[in-house]
Amino acid sequence: MISAKSDVQVDTPEVRVTEWRLAPGSATGRHIHEMDYVIVPVTSGEMTIVAPDGARSKAVLGLGKSYFRKAGVEHDVLNETAAEIVFLEVELKP
């Protein structure tokens, strides 16, 4: 699996905004979210989420349909589709 591409667009004492691009067949790599965060989809699509125990689930992204998660989430995010997935991750610093 190839690595997803990330580009930090804003990084202040209050917030970090990162653009993520997942080409078909790419993954973010297993990680733990250390801050509360909001995902803002730039494209629609379906991501595969892999939990630490290996359990897999699907996350459907709707164009412009944001969602919020608390710090502590641990997972890998994969693009197993034929289209690029793009979203902004807005991390809220304590």
Side-chain angles (χ1 to χ4, degrees):
M1 183 119 337
I2 58 177
S3 294
K5 294 182 180 177
S6 63
D7 176 35
V8 176
Q9 297 180 343
V10 176
D11 195 357
T12 70
E14 299 82 19
V15 68
R16 179 185 309 134
V17 179
T18 305
E19 178 188 65
W20 284 93
R21 291 185 168 272
L22 282 76
S26 69
T28 60
R30 186 172 166 178
H31 58 280
I32 298 174
H33 288 270
E34 297 178 0
M35 296 176 263
D36 293 350
Y37 65 101
V38 176
I39 297 296
V40 182
V42 176
T43 62
S44 58
E46 182 181 82
M47 302 183 300
T48 301
I49 309 299
V50 182
D53 66 0
R56 296 164 68 90
S57 62
K58 299 292 183 178
V60 177
L61 296 179
L63 180 61
K65 302 287 185 181
S66 302
Y67 63 87
F68 170 81
R69 296 286 184 267
K70 296 293 288 176
V73 173
E74 182 177 358
H75 58 207
D76 191 0
V77 179
L78 292 68
N79 180 358
E80 298 180 319
T81 73
E84 181 181 52
I85 295 170
V86 181
F87 59 88
L88 299 175
E89 176 185 61
V90 181
E91 296 173 287
L92 307 171
K93 296 182 180 180

